[in-house]
Amino acid sequence: MKTPLHVFALILLTSAATTAVVLPIATAQPSSDPQSAAVPLAGQATAVPATPLVSGLPDFTRLVEQVGPAVVKIDTTVGGRAGARRGTQSPDEELGEDQIPEIFRRFFGPGFQMPGPGGQGTVPRGRAMGTGFLISDDGYVLTNHHVIDRADEVKVTLSDRREFTAKVVGSDERSDVALLKIEGKGLPVLRTANGSAVKPGQWAVAIGSPFGLEQSVTAGIVSAVGRSNPYANQQYVPFIQTDVAINQGNSGGPLLNTSGEVIGINSQIFSNSGGYMGVSFAIPIDVAMNVVDQLKKTGRVQRGQLGVMFSRDSITTEEARGFGLPDTLGALVTEVVPGSPAEKVGIEPGDVIRSADGVVIRQPGDLPPIVGNKVPGTKVKIVVFREGRERTYDVTLSELDDSAVAGGAAPRPGAPSNAPASGANALGLATQDLTDAQRRQLGLDAKEGVGIARVEGAAAREAGLSPGDVVLRVGRTPVGSVAALDRELRGVKPGQTVMLLVRSSGGGSRFVAITPE
């Protein structure tokens, strides 16, 4: 039976320490028979390596020998003074279930057993392990935010077993990047690659500490680039997707190309079991280094803001028909933040953003990384589609204000007004005027919005509309009364697609396409 996509968990890859068991390997004297030297028999070993039976496959041994020493193990302790400042227990108290970060509850809660025969390796509460790598010979270390989040103490162990107590220079939750500093000189360093040169199909190598097994090497290919993450608050990261085997403990480790250059930081996996299932994600190194530069200079990360909210779903064929689009590319704007750069230049709800800074927006998730990874004050060229043609705006980005663009749930409209509901219109919607109190509760302007009282048409039901939703616009035209809505729908014929901007009773605005039969 296939597992539905929605039950898959997005797993952060922090791991806990364990003990590796080394098994003895039996060896035998080489055979003197030249026929048997080409293909050794079971239990026999050749004096010199036999001729490879398979050629043309990559050999990563030189790469690992050269870059392995710059990959470090990271151990963290959660609790103590830092934990107390963040609302966790004091150092001499045991962390409670509700006080352990989600990733620790998922993998390291009471009774968690490391995979393996007999479930060996019970993990102590409040301790976790990850991976990192050196980016400067004087001790700067790059890793994931979630590896060191809430940590009271961070220990870094080099491949030669030297151990350091690390200082957290800064950390950014949105990109899941953290910068550490250890005291040292002449340390081994990894080079970084040109992030824009990463292509699907190229070989990729990971080095890390899955399940505490240090300096483990896995390899695969880049499956895709520019992946958005709809399951976490990381819309500003265009993830690299790979099939490189990644597990708990690989978090923060390097993803490398065949030149030994870092192309990404291993961060997450999709899994319904907690283990590797062939889909792994890494933060592009150019995104990470942008964060590093800002953390070094100011200790915080600034991001550019356009000031629009848009549907996270890709534009459908029906929606494209409703807006007169030539194709389904772009991000459909549902709201514009008052006073934002987008509002100042004239971008409106119903516009479809087709490109930003010269980059085509193929799907909505492409837009936030382009804008968010630019410094506030940067001028960006935005191309939108409106009323049958494209328009270009030069937008000067402001600094991201989380409260202004969070796109959180809007308040419910509350009880229906006393106004009588209209009969069902051409779309199968029975509507009613909103009261001033309902508009205030929804944050709407006076004479903005029409309440849905009943949904009678099959097409409207299939569009996901329900009583309590509020119609804000028909296409690009605002409506504030039943009469205004009916005027806009006058003349709608069967088979004609109509676009409605709707404020859901559960919160948030979206465009829906309705094609009456």
Side-chain angles (χ1 to χ4, degrees), residues 464-479:
L465 298 180
S466 60
D469 290 347
V470 175
V471 179
L472 302 177
R473 293 179 180 235
V474 177
R476 304 183 52 80
T477 305
V479 291

Side-chain angles (χ1 to χ4, degrees), residues 189-207:
V189 176
L190 291 186
R191 302 187 310 273
T192 58
N194 176 5
S196 63
V198 179
K199 303 295 181 184
Q202 74 177 68
W203 284 100
V205 179
I207 304 177

Side-chain angles (χ1 to χ4, degrees), residues 63 191 193-194 202-205 255-263:
L63 182 154
R191 302 187 310 273
N194 176 5
Q202 74 177 68
W203 284 100
V205 179
L255 183 70
L256 306 149
N257 61 20
T258 53
S259 298
E261 299 168 327
V262 183
I263 61 174

